[in-house]
């Protein structure tokens, strides 16, 4: 293990994380991955109503897997089909970018019943607590058929 004995070198714990630090860490990892031919192609799908943002999904494709980062739909549009449309659009874009599988995670307090209705299968779960109550983080996957 390396030790650091330099007065100009130190560890810091940052809370909250400044956006420029999060960006620098992400950019550094992306540069490393690209040098190892592990490309990450990020994109977003948005839903607009009356000129405003009413929902969206962030996603990326790397090593033939579509990773859904975040899915959000304005509360007034819950159960309207917008979430399904956003997921379908993200999956289609993933297929276009040669993804053969999609992965997404959610919390047991969010939408654990939504993804199985779209054909996703649970493949992992971690149990924890938040605010004194049990909360699970659940991972889902779905095989993607060829682009149509």
């Amino acid at each position: 293990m390396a030790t650091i004995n330099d007065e100009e070198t130190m560890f810091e714990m940052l809370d909250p994380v400044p956006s420029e630090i999060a960006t620098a860490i992400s950019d550094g990892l992306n540069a490393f991955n690209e040098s190892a031919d592990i490309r990450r192609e990020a994109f977003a799908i948005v839903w607009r109503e009356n000129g405003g943002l009413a929902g969206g999904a962030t996603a990326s494709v790397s090593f033939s897997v579509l990773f859904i980062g975040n899915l959000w739909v304005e509360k007034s549009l819950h159960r309207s089909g917008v979430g399904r449309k956003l997921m379908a659009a993200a999956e289609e874009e993933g297929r276009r970018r040669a993804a053969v599988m999609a992965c997404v995670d959610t919390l047991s307090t969010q939408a654990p019943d939504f993804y199985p209705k779209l054909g996703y299968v649970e493949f992992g779960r971690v149990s924890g607590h938040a605010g004194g109550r049990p909360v699970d983080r659940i991972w889902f996957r779905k095989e993607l058929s060829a682009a149509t």
Side-chain angles (χ1 to χ4, degrees):
M1 180 166 92
T3 56
I4 299 174
N5 293 322
D6 185 337
E7 290 181 10
E8 294 181 22
T9 305
M10 64 179 211
F11 291 101
E12 284 183 272
M13 199 290 292
L14 304 172
D15 181 12
V17 180
S19 61
E20 66 272 11
I21 296 294
T23 298
I25 292 169
S26 181
D27 288 351
L29 181 58
N30 288 338
F32 174 81
N33 285 342
E34 285 185 20
S35 72
D37 287 331
I38 302 173
R39 296 208 45 218
R40 179 177 172 266
E41 301 174 18
F43 63 93
I45 307 286
V46 297
W47 184 270
R48 296 185 188 277
E49 288 195 2
N50 302 317
L53 187 64
T58 59
S60 63
V61 173
S62 59
F63 48 90
S64 301
V65 179
L66 168 67
F67 293 95
I68 305 294
N70 291 300
L71 174 66
W72 166 76
V73 176
E74 181 69 46
K75 190 171 184 173
S76 66
L77 294 173
H78 286 191
R79 301 188 187 282
S80 69
V82 171
R84 285 178 176 270
K85 290 175 183 176
L86 288 166
M87 287 295 292
E91 290 170 7
E92 187 58 33
E93 182 61 18
R95 284 184 197 92
R96 194 184 72 71
R97 295 173 186 237
V100 297
M101 178 178 291
C103 291
V104 65
D105 70 281
T106 191
L107 300 177
S108 56
T109 56
Q110 293 175 329
D113 298 328
F114 175 71
Y115 298 103
K117 291 175 185 174
L118 303 180
Y120 285 78
V121 176
E122 182 179 331
F123 73 90
R125 181 181 291 248
V126 175
S127 296
H129 290 85
R133 63 182 175 165
V135 178
D136 293 348
R137 187 166 188 177
I138 308 162
W139 285 267
F140 294 95
R141 65 176 168 74
K142 178 180 179 179
E143 299 291 327
L144 297 178
S145 59
T148 54

